[in-house]
Amino acid sequence: MTTQPVGPSIGAPFSEAEFEARRDRVRERMRAGGFDGLLVADPANLYYLTGYNAWSFYTPQVLWLPLEGEPLLIMREMDANGAHRTATSFPASSILGYPETLIHRPDAHPGDWIAAALLERAGAEPRRVGYEGEAHFFTVRTFRALQEHLPGWQLDDSQDLVGWVRLVKSPAEIELMRAAGRIASSAMQAGLDALAPGRPQHEIAAAIQAAQARGTADAAGDYPAIVPLMMVGAAADTPHLTWSDAPLPDETGISLELTGAHRRYHAPLARTAYLGTPSDRLRHLADATVAALDAALAAVRPGVTAHEVSEEFTRVLGAAGYEKASRLGYSIGIGYPPDWGERTVSLRRGEPTVLVENMTFHVIAGMWMTGYGFETSASIRVTDSGHELFCDVPRGLIVKNGGAA
C-alpha cells in the first residue's frame, strides 16, 4: 500500500538538502561499519532522517535505509496515509502501510508484513543489516519477526549509529535548540512563581505544562519527551519523581526538572527552590554544587574530552567534601517519549569522546543526599572557544522568602 498525498503538508523545519546530507552521513558511517542497510526505529532518528513526526511510535514503524538505493518508510496504514504531511522529502511510493488487521494480535504481527515488503523492494540476497537494539519501541516481537522472515539477512546491532551522526548539530538545529531553551526558561519561571506553601503539587505541574505548550512570543511550544519532574522535601534525595496532589509544606525544598521543546528539539533545565529559610547544610551543598558546575562549564571547549569536563566538576565538588557517583550530563537534541537524551556521549569519568563545536549537552549537577538534595543544570552548545547557555534562569538555590540565595 502506498500513500496518496492529499491537501497541504505540515512540513519539516529543514530543507530537503539537509535531510539528504544527513542520510549521506549515516551511509558513510554504515559503510565504515560494514553495513549494507539500516533498520531505523527510534522516532527521534526517523524525524532526523525523514522529518516524519507523529505519535505513532507505539506500533511498529521502521525506516529502511540501504547503502545504495531508495529508502522506505514502513508503518501502520492509518499513519502511512498522512506521513507525507511531515516526511515531505519522501515520495508516496516510498511510504508503505501495513494492514490495520495486524494491530494487537497474538497470532500475527506487523513485523511479518514489514519483512515481506522489504524482500519485495530490497531483494532477498544476503546482506548485513543494522538494527537499533536500544530503541525503546523496537520490540522483541518485531525483531523476531524480521529475523524469522529475512533468513538471508545478518541482523546486527547498529550501536546507535544514527545517534552518533546526530551528535554534532547543524546551524538550523542550533536555532531550534535556542528556541527550546527560551521555552525552558519560561516554563521554569512559571513553576517557580507557582510555588507556595499549601499549593497542591499538581497545580505547579499545570503551570509548568501550560508554559511548555504556550512557548514564547517567538517560539511555539511542543510536547516534551518527559513530563515535569518534582522532588519535594525529603524526597529531593531521589531523582525522576513526578508530582502528586499533596500540598507543598512550608520550610521545604523543591527540585524541578523540566524542558522546553520546540519542533522536537529539547533544552532541559533543573533548579532547586526553598520555601522558607534553608538550612546551612542545604546552603553549603548548593554553593558547592554550583561552584563545581561552573568549573565544569568553564572547561568546555573543542578539543577537551568529556572525561576532562567531568573531572573538573569532581575536583571542585571534592574540595567541598562531596562526591557524585552518577554521570554529570549527556548529549541532547531531538526528543520523543520516554527520554530527551541521545544515548551517545555521557559526561563522566573515562568517557573519551572529544568535544567539537556544535555538540549539545544537558550538564546536570544532581546531588541526591539522604533526606535532602539539590539539583541545578545547564543545557549548552559547545562553541568554537567555550560554551553557549540555552537557558537563563539563575543556577543557585532559589529562596522564596526573598529571592535567590
Side-chain angles (χ1 to χ4, degrees):
M1 175 264 174
T2 60
T3 62
Q4 296 298 322
V6 176
S9 295
I10 298 169
F14 306 104
S15 67
E16 185 170 343
E18 178 152 345
F19 283 118
E20 285 290 347
R22 293 173 178 184
R23 292 193 287 266
D24 287 345
R25 288 196 299 273
V26 169
R27 285 183 167 118
E28 289 174 11
R29 200 172 184 102
M30 288 165 54
R31 185 174 288 107
F35 290 108
D36 302 305
L38 199 64
L39 292 168
V40 180
D42 187 314
N45 291 339
L46 292 179
Y47 180 71
Y48 181 76
L49 293 172
T50 73
Y52 178 68
N53 180 23
W55 195 287
S56 58
F57 40 81
Y58 61 92
T59 58
Q61 54 185 28
V62 297
L63 169 69
W64 162 245
L65 185 65
L67 195 59
E68 305 289 344
E70 291 301 312
L72 291 173
L73 190 57
I74 308 175
M75 61 187 64
R76 184 179 181 180
E77 186 175 64
M78 67 166 59
D79 297 310
N81 287 336
H84 66 279
R85 300 193 185 280
T86 56
T88 54
S89 64
F90 264 58
S93 59
S94 295
I95 303 174
L96 309 181
Y98 54 78
E100 290 295 311
T101 54
L102 294 176
I103 297 300
H104 296 163
R105 284 178 54 174
D107 59 338
H109 190 268
D112 305 336
W113 193 98
I114 293 171
L118 288 172
L119 287 176
E120 180 181 347
R121 291 296 190 98
E125 64 270 18
R127 63 187 75 200
R128 181 169 181 255
V129 173
Y131 66 90
E132 296 186 323
E134 279 290 300
H136 297 295
F137 301 101
F138 188 66
T139 66
V140 173
R141 284 192 71 190
T142 302
F143 173 77
R144 292 182 64 180
L146 296 175
Q147 191 176 49
E148 178 181 354
H149 297 295
L150 298 170
W153 293 22
Q154 177 185 333
L155 300 180
D156 291 333
D157 196 320
S158 68
Q159 302 294 321
D160 284 314
L161 185 152
V162 179
W164 286 96
V165 174
R166 286 168 46 196
L167 189 58
V168 178
K169 308 301 185 290
S170 71
E173 290 180 287
I174 294 299
E175 286 303 316
L176 297 184
M177 296 193 71
R178 288 175 177 143
R182 295 193 293 274
I183 295 170
S185 297
S186 175
M188 179 61 74
Q189 195 59 57
L192 294 171
D193 290 345
L195 296 177
R199 181 163 291 167
Q201 294 177 27
H202 67 273
E203 292 186 7
I204 313 303
I208 292 169
Q209 290 179 307
Q212 287 174 315
R214 185 179 301 112
T216 62
D218 59 352
D222 205 341
Y223 68 87
I226 303 176
V227 299
L229 305 177
M230 190 180 310
M231 289 62 71
V232 178
D237 67 0
T238 305
H240 304 145
L241 302 179
T242 55
W243 64 86
S244 72
D245 60 354
L248 296 177
D250 200 0
E251 298 298 335
T252 194
I254 305 103
S255 291
L256 299 174
E257 185 177 350
L258 52 82
T259 189
H262 178 65
R263 307 207 77 170
R264 302 314 318 146
Y265 282 80
H266 285 59
L269 182 62
R271 291 293 184 268
T272 299
Y274 195 88
L275 301 179
T277 303
S279 65
D280 291 342
R281 179 181 69 168
L282 179 57
R283 286 184 181 275
H284 186 265
L285 176 65
D287 290 346
T289 305
V290 171
L293 177 58
D294 288 346
L297 294 176
V300 171
R301 61 186 180 277
V304 305
T305 65
H307 163 85
E308 291 172 305
V309 173
S310 176
E311 287 298 280
E312 277 300 290
F313 179 87
T314 299
R315 178 184 63 80
V316 174
L317 191 70
Y322 300 102
E323 63 180 35
K324 176 178 169 62
S326 57
R327 63 182 178 171
L328 178 61
Y330 44 84
S331 61
I332 53 171
I334 302 169
Y336 280 83
D339 189 22
W340 57 49
E342 288 187 324
R343 298 197 309 270
T344 50
V345 179
S346 289
L347 301 176
R348 61 184 169 198
R349 176 168 290 176
E351 172 63 58
T353 302
V354 176
L355 304 191
V356 302
E357 186 176 2
N358 282 352
M359 287 183 177
T360 51
F361 295 97
H362 183 212
V363 189
I364 177 162
M367 295 298 295
W368 302 287
M369 312 306 283
T370 301
Y372 73 111
F374 178 82
E375 283 188 51
T376 190
S377 76
S379 282
I380 66 166
R381 172 179 78 93
V382 180
T383 68
D384 60 354
S385 60
H387 71 276
E388 171 190 351
L389 294 171
F390 289 133
C391 306
D392 61 4
V393 181
R395 292 198 282 272
L397 179 63
I398 298 163
V399 181
K400 289 290 285 189
N401 282 354

